PDB file of all heavy atoms in Angstrom:
ATOM      1  N   GLY Q  66       7.206   6.618   7.314  1.00 94.00           N
ATOM      2  CA  GLY Q  66       8.351   5.978   7.948  1.00 94.00           C
ATOM      3  C   GLY Q  66       8.036   4.659   8.623  1.00 94.00           C
ATOM      4  O   GLY Q  66       8.956   3.926   9.009  1.00 94.00           O
ATOM      5  N   HIS Q  67       6.750   4.326   8.760  1.00 96.00           N
ATOM      6  CA  HIS Q  67       6.357   3.056   9.375  1.00 96.00           C
ATOM      7  C   HIS Q  67       6.127   1.966   8.323  1.00 96.00           C
ATOM      8  O   HIS Q  67       5.914   0.810   8.684  1.00 96.00           O
ATOM      9  CB  HIS Q  67       5.095   3.244  10.214  1.00 96.00           C
ATOM     10  CG  HIS Q  67       5.308   4.128  11.407  1.00 96.00           C
ATOM     11  ND1 HIS Q  67       5.730   3.656  12.624  1.00 96.00           N
ATOM     12  CD2 HIS Q  67       5.173   5.479  11.557  1.00 96.00           C
ATOM     13  CE1 HIS Q  67       5.840   4.658  13.481  1.00 96.00           C
ATOM     14  NE2 HIS Q  67       5.497   5.773  12.858  1.00 96.00           N
ATOM     15  N   PHE Q  68       6.144   2.339   7.055  1.00 95.00           N
ATOM     16  CA  PHE Q  68       6.035   1.354   5.978  1.00 95.00           C
ATOM     17  C   PHE Q  68       7.424   0.819   5.633  1.00 95.00           C
ATOM     18  O   PHE Q  68       8.444   1.453   5.936  1.00 95.00           O
ATOM     19  CB  PHE Q  68       5.425   1.983   4.725  1.00 95.00           C
ATOM     20  CG  PHE Q  68       3.936   2.184   4.782  1.00 95.00           C
ATOM     21  CD1 PHE Q  68       3.395   3.401   5.179  1.00 95.00           C
ATOM     22  CD2 PHE Q  68       3.070   1.163   4.430  1.00 95.00           C
ATOM     23  CE1 PHE Q  68       2.025   3.593   5.236  1.00 95.00           C
ATOM     24  CE2 PHE Q  68       1.689   1.346   4.482  1.00 95.00           C
ATOM     25  CZ  PHE Q  68       1.171   2.565   4.884  1.00 95.00           C
ATOM     26  N   LEU Q  69       7.450  -0.325   4.988  1.00 94.00           N
ATOM     27  CA  LEU Q  69       8.707  -0.855   4.481  1.00 94.00           C
ATOM     28  C   LEU Q  69       9.241   0.076   3.397  1.00 94.00           C
ATOM     29  O   LEU Q  69       8.507   0.466   2.486  1.00 94.00           O
ATOM     30  CB  LEU Q  69       8.505  -2.252   3.904  1.00 94.00           C
ATOM     31  CG  LEU Q  69       8.173  -3.378   4.884  1.00 94.00           C
ATOM     32  CD1 LEU Q  69       7.678  -4.606   4.130  1.00 94.00           C
ATOM     33  CD2 LEU Q  69       9.394  -3.734   5.716  1.00 94.00           C
ATOM     34  N   SER Q  70      10.498   0.416   3.470  1.00 93.00           N
ATOM     35  CA  SER Q  70      11.111   1.250   2.443  1.00 93.00           C
ATOM     36  C   SER Q  70      11.483   0.394   1.231  1.00 93.00           C
ATOM     37  O   SER Q  70      11.452  -0.844   1.290  1.00 93.00           O
ATOM     38  CB  SER Q  70      12.365   1.918   2.992  1.00 93.00           C
ATOM     39  OG  SER Q  70      13.368   0.934   3.262  1.00 93.00           O
ATOM     40  N   ARG Q  71      11.847   1.050   0.141  1.00 91.00           N
ATOM     41  CA  ARG Q  71      12.307   0.311  -1.041  1.00 91.00           C
ATOM     42  C   ARG Q  71      13.525  -0.544  -0.698  1.00 91.00           C
ATOM     43  O   ARG Q  71      13.669  -1.670  -1.174  1.00 91.00           O
ATOM     44  CB  ARG Q  71      12.645   1.285  -2.172  1.00 91.00           C
ATOM     45  CG  ARG Q  71      11.431   1.980  -2.776  1.00 91.00           C
ATOM     46  CD  ARG Q  71      11.860   2.933  -3.882  1.00 91.00           C
ATOM     47  NE  ARG Q  71      10.736   3.697  -4.381  1.00 91.00           N
ATOM     48  CZ  ARG Q  71       9.936   3.307  -5.362  1.00 91.00           C
ATOM     49  NH1 ARG Q  71      10.145   2.141  -5.948  1.00 91.00           N
ATOM     50  NH2 ARG Q  71       8.939   4.072  -5.765  1.00 91.00           N
ATOM     51  N   GLU Q  72      14.418   0.020   0.124  1.00 94.00           N
ATOM     52  CA  GLU Q  72      15.619  -0.731   0.514  1.00 94.00           C
ATOM     53  C   GLU Q  72      15.258  -1.957   1.356  1.00 94.00           C
ATOM     54  O   GLU Q  72      15.844  -3.031   1.190  1.00 94.00           O
ATOM     55  CB  GLU Q  72      16.568   0.180   1.297  1.00 94.00           C
ATOM     56  CG  GLU Q  72      17.188   1.307   0.495  1.00 94.00           C
ATOM     57  CD  GLU Q  72      16.204   2.447   0.210  1.00 94.00           C
ATOM     58  OE1 GLU Q  72      15.145   2.524   0.891  1.00 94.00           O
ATOM     59  OE2 GLU Q  72      16.481   3.242  -0.695  1.00 94.00           O
ATOM     60  N   ASP Q  73      14.277  -1.787   2.245  1.00 95.00           N
ATOM     61  CA  ASP Q  73      13.822  -2.923   3.047  1.00 95.00           C
ATOM     62  C   ASP Q  73      13.235  -4.009   2.155  1.00 95.00           C
ATOM     63  O   ASP Q  73      13.512  -5.204   2.336  1.00 95.00           O
ATOM     64  CB  ASP Q  73      12.753  -2.481   4.055  1.00 95.00           C
ATOM     65  CG  ASP Q  73      13.307  -1.555   5.128  1.00 95.00           C
ATOM     66  OD1 ASP Q  73      14.540  -1.517   5.295  1.00 95.00           O
ATOM     67  OD2 ASP Q  73      12.491  -0.884   5.790  1.00 95.00           O
ATOM     68  N   HIS Q  74      12.413  -3.603   1.198  1.00 93.00           N
ATOM     69  CA  HIS Q  74      11.825  -4.575   0.271  1.00 93.00           C
ATOM     70  C   HIS Q  74      12.922  -5.337  -0.466  1.00 93.00           C
ATOM     71  O   HIS Q  74      12.843  -6.566  -0.627  1.00 93.00           O
ATOM     72  CB  HIS Q  74      10.932  -3.865  -0.741  1.00 93.00           C
ATOM     73  CG  HIS Q  74       9.557  -3.573  -0.247  1.00 93.00           C
ATOM     74  ND1 HIS Q  74       8.649  -4.558   0.066  1.00 93.00           N
ATOM     75  CD2 HIS Q  74       8.924  -2.396   0.002  1.00 93.00           C
ATOM     76  CE1 HIS Q  74       7.518  -4.007   0.478  1.00 93.00           C
ATOM     77  NE2 HIS Q  74       7.651  -2.697   0.452  1.00 93.00           N
ATOM     78  N   GLU Q  75      13.928  -4.636  -0.932  1.00 93.00           N
ATOM     79  CA  GLU Q  75      14.992  -5.275  -1.694  1.00 93.00           C
ATOM     80  C   GLU Q  75      15.755  -6.276  -0.834  1.00 93.00           C
ATOM     81  O   GLU Q  75      16.075  -7.385  -1.270  1.00 93.00           O
ATOM     82  CB  GLU Q  75      15.945  -4.214  -2.238  1.00 93.00           C
ATOM     83  CG  GLU Q  75      17.130  -4.769  -3.011  1.00 93.00           C
ATOM     84  CD  GLU Q  75      16.737  -5.576  -4.232  1.00 93.00           C
ATOM     85  OE1 GLU Q  75      15.634  -5.339  -4.778  1.00 93.00           O
ATOM     86  OE2 GLU Q  75      17.520  -6.460  -4.644  1.00 93.00           O
ATOM     87  N   LYS Q  76      16.032  -5.911   0.413  1.00 96.00           N
ATOM     88  CA  LYS Q  76      16.758  -6.814   1.300  1.00 96.00           C
ATOM     89  C   LYS Q  76      15.935  -8.073   1.586  1.00 96.00           C
ATOM     90  O   LYS Q  76      16.461  -9.198   1.533  1.00 96.00           O
ATOM     91  CB  LYS Q  76      17.085  -6.096   2.607  1.00 96.00           C
ATOM     92  CG  LYS Q  76      17.898  -6.932   3.588  1.00 96.00           C
ATOM     93  CD  LYS Q  76      18.199  -6.153   4.855  1.00 96.00           C
ATOM     94  CE  LYS Q  76      19.179  -5.050   4.594  1.00 96.00           C
ATOM     95  NZ  LYS Q  76      19.589  -4.366   5.852  1.00 96.00           N
ATOM     96  N   LEU Q  77      14.656  -7.887   1.883  1.00 96.00           N
ATOM     97  CA  LEU Q  77      13.786  -9.030   2.165  1.00 96.00           C
ATOM     98  C   LEU Q  77      13.620  -9.913   0.939  1.00 96.00           C
ATOM     99  O   LEU Q  77      13.690 -11.143   1.023  1.00 96.00           O
ATOM    100  CB  LEU Q  77      12.425  -8.531   2.650  1.00 96.00           C
ATOM    101  CG  LEU Q  77      12.422  -7.851   4.024  1.00 96.00           C
ATOM    102  CD1 LEU Q  77      11.141  -7.053   4.223  1.00 96.00           C
ATOM    103  CD2 LEU Q  77      12.583  -8.875   5.141  1.00 96.00           C
ATOM    104  N   ARG Q  78      13.402  -9.288  -0.219  1.00 94.00           N
ATOM    105  CA  ARG Q  78      13.215 -10.061  -1.449  1.00 94.00           C
ATOM    106  C   ARG Q  78      14.467 -10.855  -1.783  1.00 94.00           C
ATOM    107  O   ARG Q  78      14.402 -12.030  -2.158  1.00 94.00           O
ATOM    108  CB  ARG Q  78      12.866  -9.120  -2.609  1.00 94.00           C
ATOM    109  CG  ARG Q  78      12.523  -9.852  -3.910  1.00 94.00           C
ATOM    110  CD  ARG Q  78      12.580  -8.917  -5.100  1.00 94.00           C
ATOM    111  NE  ARG Q  78      13.916  -8.374  -5.301  1.00 94.00           N
ATOM    112  CZ  ARG Q  78      14.890  -9.041  -5.897  1.00 94.00           C
ATOM    113  NH1 ARG Q  78      14.692 -10.278  -6.333  1.00 94.00           N
ATOM    114  NH2 ARG Q  78      16.078  -8.481  -6.042  1.00 94.00           N
ATOM    115  N   SER Q  79      15.626 -10.232  -1.643  1.00 94.00           N
ATOM    116  CA  SER Q  79      16.879 -10.923  -1.960  1.00 94.00           C
ATOM    117  C   SER Q  79      17.099 -12.116  -1.042  1.00 94.00           C
ATOM    118  O   SER Q  79      17.530 -13.200  -1.486  1.00 94.00           O
ATOM    119  CB  SER Q  79      18.057  -9.946  -1.846  1.00 94.00           C
ATOM    120  OG  SER Q  79      17.944  -8.915  -2.797  1.00 94.00           O
ATOM    121  N   ALA Q  80      16.816 -11.942   0.255  1.00 96.00           N
ATOM    122  CA  ALA Q  80      16.986 -13.046   1.200  1.00 96.00           C
ATOM    123  C   ALA Q  80      16.028 -14.183   0.881  1.00 96.00           C
ATOM    124  O   ALA Q  80      16.418 -15.370   0.891  1.00 96.00           O
ATOM    125  CB  ALA Q  80      16.764 -12.550   2.636  1.00 96.00           C
ATOM    126  N   LEU Q  81      14.798 -13.860   0.554  1.00 96.00           N
ATOM    127  CA  LEU Q  81      13.828 -14.892   0.199  1.00 96.00           C
ATOM    128  C   LEU Q  81      14.231 -15.606  -1.078  1.00 96.00           C
ATOM    129  O   LEU Q  81      14.110 -16.830  -1.194  1.00 96.00           O
ATOM    130  CB  LEU Q  81      12.438 -14.261   0.051  1.00 96.00           C
ATOM    131  CG  LEU Q  81      11.789 -13.798   1.363  1.00 96.00           C
ATOM    132  CD1 LEU Q  81      10.611 -12.877   1.068  1.00 96.00           C
ATOM    133  CD2 LEU Q  81      11.336 -14.981   2.192  1.00 96.00           C
ATOM    134  N   ASP Q  82      14.691 -14.849  -2.063  1.00 94.00           N
ATOM    135  CA  ASP Q  82      15.173 -15.450  -3.314  1.00 94.00           C
ATOM    136  C   ASP Q  82      16.243 -16.505  -3.048  1.00 94.00           C
ATOM    137  O   ASP Q  82      16.210 -17.617  -3.591  1.00 94.00           O
ATOM    138  CB  ASP Q  82      15.764 -14.373  -4.229  1.00 94.00           C
ATOM    139  CG  ASP Q  82      14.752 -13.776  -5.174  1.00 94.00           C
ATOM    140  OD1 ASP Q  82      13.719 -14.414  -5.436  1.00 94.00           O
ATOM    141  OD2 ASP Q  82      14.996 -12.662  -5.665  1.00 94.00           O
ATOM    142  N   LEU Q  83      17.208 -16.135  -2.223  1.00 96.00           N
ATOM    143  CA  LEU Q  83      18.321 -17.052  -1.944  1.00 96.00           C
ATOM    144  C   LEU Q  83      17.844 -18.302  -1.223  1.00 96.00           C
ATOM    145  O   LEU Q  83      18.294 -19.420  -1.535  1.00 96.00           O
ATOM    146  CB  LEU Q  83      19.376 -16.327  -1.106  1.00 96.00           C
ATOM    147  CG  LEU Q  83      20.170 -15.236  -1.825  1.00 96.00           C
ATOM    148  CD1 LEU Q  83      20.970 -14.416  -0.832  1.00 96.00           C
ATOM    149  CD2 LEU Q  83      21.095 -15.854  -2.881  1.00 96.00           C
ATOM    150  N   LEU Q  84      16.942 -18.135  -0.274  1.00 97.00           N
ATOM    151  CA  LEU Q  84      16.451 -19.290   0.482  1.00 97.00           C
ATOM    152  C   LEU Q  84      15.651 -20.236  -0.399  1.00 97.00           C
ATOM    153  O   LEU Q  84      15.805 -21.465  -0.319  1.00 97.00           O
ATOM    154  CB  LEU Q  84      15.596 -18.810   1.653  1.00 97.00           C
ATOM    155  CG  LEU Q  84      16.343 -18.118   2.797  1.00 97.00           C
ATOM    156  CD1 LEU Q  84      15.351 -17.494   3.779  1.00 97.00           C
ATOM    157  CD2 LEU Q  84      17.267 -19.105   3.523  1.00 97.00           C
ATOM    158  N   VAL Q  85      14.787 -19.691  -1.239  1.00 96.00           N
ATOM    159  CA  VAL Q  85      13.992 -20.545  -2.132  1.00 96.00           C
ATOM    160  C   VAL Q  85      14.885 -21.255  -3.129  1.00 96.00           C
ATOM    161  O   VAL Q  85      14.740 -22.462  -3.376  1.00 96.00           O
ATOM    162  CB  VAL Q  85      12.918 -19.704  -2.856  1.00 96.00           C
ATOM    163  CG1 VAL Q  85      12.225 -20.544  -3.929  1.00 96.00           C
ATOM    164  CG2 VAL Q  85      11.881 -19.185  -1.875  1.00 96.00           C
ATOM    165  N   ALA Q  86      15.829 -20.522  -3.712  1.00 95.00           N
ATOM    166  CA  ALA Q  86      16.731 -21.128  -4.709  1.00 95.00           C
ATOM    167  C   ALA Q  86      17.538 -22.268  -4.091  1.00 95.00           C
ATOM    168  O   ALA Q  86      17.705 -23.337  -4.702  1.00 95.00           O
ATOM    169  CB  ALA Q  86      17.659 -20.056  -5.277  1.00 95.00           C
ATOM    170  N   ALA Q  87      18.045 -22.069  -2.869  1.00 96.00           N
ATOM    171  CA  ALA Q  87      18.831 -23.114  -2.210  1.00 96.00           C
ATOM    172  C   ALA Q  87      17.975 -24.329  -1.896  1.00 96.00           C
ATOM    173  O   ALA Q  87      18.414 -25.482  -2.053  1.00 96.00           O
ATOM    174  CB  ALA Q  87      19.461 -22.557  -0.936  1.00 96.00           C
TER     175      ALA Q  87
END
Side-chain angles (χ1 to χ4, degrees):
H67 294 272
F68 283 95
L69 292 166
S70 67
R71 291 180 185 272
E72 293 75 17
D73 293 343
H74 278 295
E75 178 60 25
K76 182 179 290 186
L77 292 164
R78 185 196 62 80
S79 296
L81 289 165
D82 269 339
L83 290 169
L84 290 171
V85 172

